[in-house]
């Protein structure tokens, strides 16, 4: 088991797990990886990754460089005890016996994922665990006052590691609770249980687009008809949210839920951003990996203040790409994803899957343009083009 220990800097004392099968990025940007508070860090600073049984650190074109044992490096193998200087911080790479670190890192699972089942939390009786993601565990619960089943997402303690994080979450959840649309998961309430924050949502009887793809086996592709159907519903939801000046900014296959009747709903709106609010920080947690990086537009990686409705258009385009081809537009270590995103280089979906209708592939490519001004400017524009393709195909 390996981890990074912050020896000096604003995050001194923090431990960050380094998993052998996942890339880990450090920086100060509001994207889906580890954010440190050091103002001297670049927004996207460096990456840690395992390759062929060894760990490596790579600089990601940072402004101030990455130094291994006081030597500036580009990419270099690391061993236990090595010290890496980034910005004004120093982190130490540590490898320990798996059992010793596992006990420390998995306390979270014992406290959250196991012990809440059958407990009463306010008006809610927790019945069963139905999912676990990067930031928390989702349970099925019964709300006695309303005589209904709900979904309760309980966040890991290190997601909301300070009062500022908690307040950002509460503001995001409050924003989401105002949204009422048939293609958006309803947010009913938020609360605290001991040191844990939770959000109570509509329970969707079905699974996510990501789960749908997993069920399809090796290819994992979803046909053009179903992809367009899901996309149209998502775009109607986005049009509604954007009209309320709210941007989702976390759209990906795992955040689009499909019920048993085929109705698609956008989930995790508690991460949304109100364009009228100066608060643009994403909620992140120690241990969060790069599962979302392939769906984040370049402007969001670089500066979260630049996010607008066209960022959601990009993310939906990337989600459609994954549905049609069975793979995300970008993959590999974080450094490769970031380089490809900066260059705007991804394979044409038609070349990955020859069954993708040419005009539909063109819609995806336009939605995923690197420069926001070259994308669809609104969800409604993209929706109109999809409906034209449907009509042309006789679907």
């Amino acid at each position: 088991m390996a981890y990074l220990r912050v020896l000096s800097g604003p995050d001194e004392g923090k431990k960050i797990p380094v998993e052998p099968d996942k890339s880990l990025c450090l920086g100060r940007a509001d994207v889906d990886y580890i954010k440190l508070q050091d103002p001297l860090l670049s927004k996207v600073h460096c990456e840690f990754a395992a390759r062929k049984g060894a760990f490596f650190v790579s600089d990601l074109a940072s402004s101030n460089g990455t130094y291994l044992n006081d030597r500036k490096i580009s990419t270099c193998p690391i061993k236990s005890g090595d010290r890496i200087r980034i910005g004004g911080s120093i982190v130490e790479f540590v490898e320990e016996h798996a059992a010793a670190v596992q006990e420390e890192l998995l306390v979270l699972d014992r406290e959250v994922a196991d012990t809440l089942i059958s407990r009463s939390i306010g008006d809610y009786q927790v019945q069963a665990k139905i999912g676990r993601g990067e930031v928390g565990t989702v349970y099925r619960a019964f709300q006695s006052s309303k005589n209904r089943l709900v979904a309760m997402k309980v966040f890991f303690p290190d997601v909301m590691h300070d009062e500022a994080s908690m307040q950002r979450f509460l503001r995001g959840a409050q924003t989401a609770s105002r949204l009422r649309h048939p293609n958006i998961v309803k947010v009913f309430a938020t609360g605290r249980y001991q040191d844990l924050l939770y959000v109570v949502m509509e329970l969707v009887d079905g699974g996510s687009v990501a789960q749908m793809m997993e069920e399809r086996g090796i290819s994992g592709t979803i046909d053009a008809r179903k992809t367009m159907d899901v996309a149209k519903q998502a775009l109607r939801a986005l049009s509604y949210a954007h009209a309320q000046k709210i941007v989702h900014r976390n759209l990906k296959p795992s955040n689009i839920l499909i019920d048993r009747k085929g109705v698609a709903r956008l989930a995790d709106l508690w991460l949304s951003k109100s364009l009228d609010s100066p608060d643009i920080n994403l909620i992140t947690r120690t241990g969060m990996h790069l599962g979302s990086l392939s769906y984040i537009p370049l402007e969001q990686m670089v500066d979260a203040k630049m996010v607008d409705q066209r960022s959601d258009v990009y993310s939906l385009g990337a989600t459609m790409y994954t549905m049609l081809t069975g793979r995300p537009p970008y993959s590999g270590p974080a450094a490769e994803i970031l380089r490809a995103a900066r260059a705007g280089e991804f394979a044409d979906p038609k070349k990955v899957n020859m069954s993708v209708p040419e005009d539909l592939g063109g819609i995806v490519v336009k939605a995923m343009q690197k420069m926001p001004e070259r994308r669809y400017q609104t969800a409604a524009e993209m929706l109109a083009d999809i409906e034209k393709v449907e009509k042309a195909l006789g679907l």
Side-chain angles (χ1 to χ4, degrees), residues 180-240:
R180 287 292 182 267
H181 188 276
N183 299 117
I184 294 177
V185 174
K186 298 182 181 71
V187 174
F188 296 134
T190 60
R192 297 191 188 192
Y193 175 73
Q194 297 177 357
D195 293 328
L196 304 173
L197 278 175
Y198 63 85
V199 58
V200 180
M201 305 168 288
E202 172 186 11
L203 180 65
V204 177
D205 183 20
S208 67
V209 167
Q211 291 170 323
M212 182 188 304
M213 293 177 65
E214 289 175 5
E215 292 169 358
R216 277 162 166 71
I218 296 175
S219 72
T221 59
I222 296 175
D223 63 64
R225 180 196 295 268
K226 184 64 176 178
T227 297
M228 288 190 286
D229 178 52
V230 170
K232 286 192 304 176
Q233 295 182 69
L235 286 164
R236 293 185 186 111
L238 289 175
S239 290
Y240 167 79

